Amino acid sequence: MVRTFGRLYRWLYRDFEGDEFAFLREAFEDYLREHWWGLLCRRNRRLGTRTTGSRKTAQAIAAAAGTTPARVRQLHLAGWVEADIAAQPSGRRVWSFPASQVEPLATLISDGLTLQDAAAYLRLSKHRVRELIATGMIKPLLSTEGHGAATWLISRHQLDDLGRAYSARQALVTKEEPPDCVPLVQILKAWRLEAGAFAALLHALQSGVLTPIATRDVENNVLGGLLLPRREVQAWLAHWRESNGRGYSITDAAGILGIKAQVAYHLVRCGFLECTSSPLTQVRRVSRDGIAKFEARYISLVEIAKRSGTSPKQALLRLQIHPAAGPAIDGCRQYFYLRSDVEHLLDQPLQTQESGNAEP
């Protein structure tokens, strides 16, 4: 400071030390408190204690706010804390923080949660919280990727606002326990949602397409605890998957084909029913095109019997065609034939081998 202000500093504190010049020194120190970026400490004995305490080192402000110097520097680089940095001739960087930043810094630290704590606070898994961050629904104060921090720092206040944004749309119910509802956390754990479905579900809640159910349980006010009507969510999810080309689950595809889920899983394993899976979630989906291709190529013994006016057992005995799949072929619980092999026999009564060989 002496080098910067030179003669002015000498005049004020050496040549004009009398009380009659105190107003000049007060004006000078007011300027220092407002504009001077450097550290003013006890070495500057001529300055008042109010001036020398106007700025703090990273270590001092970190101790006052209950955190570490590294965290303070990261918050400054992320734009949350004011600071000045000076490079000395030796290359060392000197950090200087206004003392007024202690309170806002302490608020940021006390309000901050790690990624694991944020997940527990929302009753979600960590990778779901990462999805919320990736979609911009949560904006962390510090991240391990963007800011080089060792741990995440996520605002608890922001998480509260996020939960209130969805719980404010809750529909009131008159019964003590709402019927046929499922918590959002259970949907995320057990419904095997593909990539993008969680964010789309939250947008549906935000826009009012889906409405959570209000209860007296305060735990249901957090995001993961929201109670959702099961059938409405299932209908919305099926529509979203169809609209986005995500296809059907194997169980849903079985329902469309009119077969049991166990049979559908067998057909997928054997390659009869085309199926795709996400490399990230390992969720298998059957597209509408895959269902159409299966129906165009294969036909079940049950359908053959129905169209021929007989029972599946009788149809199996009378057909002299080798099935593509079935209990005696590959262990499948139902028989399936190539449609091209039996097309000429459909919609007409099946004749027994004996009657086919009888004389007219």
Side-chain angles (χ1 to χ4, degrees):
M1 191 182 70
V2 175
R3 286 196 302 270
T4 302
F5 294 101
R7 293 180 180 179
L8 176 61
Y9 181 82
R10 188 176 68 249
W11 289 340
L12 291 175
Y13 292 97
R14 294 182 185 176
D15 298 342
F16 304 109
E17 291 182 321
D19 293 340
E20 62 274 20
F21 298 105
F23 73 98
L24 292 176
R25 289 190 289 272
E26 290 175 1
F28 177 68
E29 293 191 21
D30 288 340
Y31 173 84
L32 290 179
R33 285 192 294 272
E34 184 176 357
H35 301 287
W36 179 249
W37 57 265
L39 290 171
L40 300 170
C41 54
R42 286 178 295 180
R43 284 186 313 177
N44 307 100
R45 293 187 299 272
R46 293 184 174 88
L47 302 178
T49 55
R50 180 163 167 256
T51 303
T52 55
S54 63
R55 301 193 72 87
K56 293 182 178 292
T57 63
Q59 290 78 6
I61 198 170
T67 186
T68 63
R71 187 63 107 189
V72 172
R73 296 188 185 99
Q74 290 162 357
L75 286 169
H76 165 68
L77 294 175
W80 296 105
V81 177
E82 294 180 24
D84 290 290
I85 307 172
Q88 295 185 343
S90 63
R92 180 171 173 265
R93 303 173 74 194
V94 179
W95 292 67
S96 170
F97 296 84
S100 60
Q101 293 296 293
V102 172
E103 185 175 347
L105 178 60
T107 301
L108 288 173
I109 296 301
S110 62
D111 183 54
L113 297 172
T114 64
L115 183 66
Q116 183 172 351
D117 291 338
Y121 192 75
L122 292 175
R123 292 182 61 193
L124 298 175
S125 61
K126 289 196 293 185
H127 83 273
R128 294 300 182 185
V129 177
R130 288 182 181 272
E131 281 190 58
L132 294 174
I133 293 171
T135 56
M137 295 181 184
I138 294 177
K139 296 178 173 61
L141 303 175
L142 293 176
S143 69
T144 55
E145 291 93 354
H147 305 108
T151 57
W152 292 77
L153 192 66
I154 299 171
S155 170
R156 188 196 313 266
H157 182 71
Q158 186 182 157
L159 300 186
D160 289 337
D161 289 342
L162 182 66
R164 282 192 291 265
Y166 296 108
S167 60
R169 297 181 176 273
Q170 289 176 333
L172 296 177
V173 293
T174 56
K175 296 182 179 180
E176 194 70 27
E177 288 295 331
D180 198 22
C181 290
V182 58
L184 176 60
V185 63
Q186 186 64 26
I187 294 174
L188 299 177
K189 285 182 178 179
W191 287 26
R192 299 177 67 85
L193 301 182
E194 55 271 79
F198 178 36
L201 176 59
L202 291 182
H203 284 305
L205 288 169
Q206 195 173 35
S207 62
V209 175
L210 292 173
T211 304
I213 303 300
T215 66
R216 297 176 183 177
D217 189 352
V218 294
E219 290 188 0
N220 292 334
N221 291 327
V222 299
L223 188 59
L226 291 179
L227 282 178
L228 304 178
R230 185 187 304 272
R231 292 183 180 178
E232 291 183 20
V233 177
Q234 288 173 336
W236 171 87
L237 187 59
H239 179 268
W240 178 83
R241 283 168 172 164
E242 184 175 356
S243 301
N244 292 271
R246 304 303 178 106
Y248 305 92
S249 68
I250 297 177
T251 302
D252 291 338
I256 294 172
L257 292 170
I259 59 179
K260 293 184 180 295
Q262 184 178 352
V263 175
Y265 276 99
H266 181 90
L267 294 174
V268 167
R269 285 195 300 271
C270 295
F272 293 100
L273 181 60
E274 293 182 4
C275 182
T276 60
S277 63
S278 167
L280 296 177
T281 62
Q282 300 299 315
V283 176
R284 293 184 292 180
R285 313 298 301 176
V286 180
S287 67
R288 181 177 291 275
D289 185 55
I291 294 174
K293 286 181 179 179
F294 178 83
E295 290 181 317
R297 188 173 185 186
Y298 300 100
I299 185 170
S300 69
L301 178 64
V302 173
E303 185 176 350
I304 294 173
K306 182 178 180 181
R307 293 177 63 173
S308 301
T310 186
S311 68
K313 184 176 182 180
Q314 289 297 319
L316 180 62
L317 292 173
R318 295 174 183 179
L319 280 173
Q320 301 302 307
I321 299 171
H322 190 72
I329 307 301
D330 57 4
C332 184
R333 292 185 62 182
Q334 285 184 237
Y335 281 103
F336 291 89
Y337 292 82
L338 286 172
R339 190 177 286 272
S340 58
D341 290 344
V342 299
E343 195 73 42
H344 63 288
L345 299 176
L346 299 178
D347 300 322
Q348 60 181 334
L350 292 175
Q351 301 296 325
T352 62
Q353 183 176 4
E354 290 76 14
S355 62
N357 295 332
E359 292 293 331

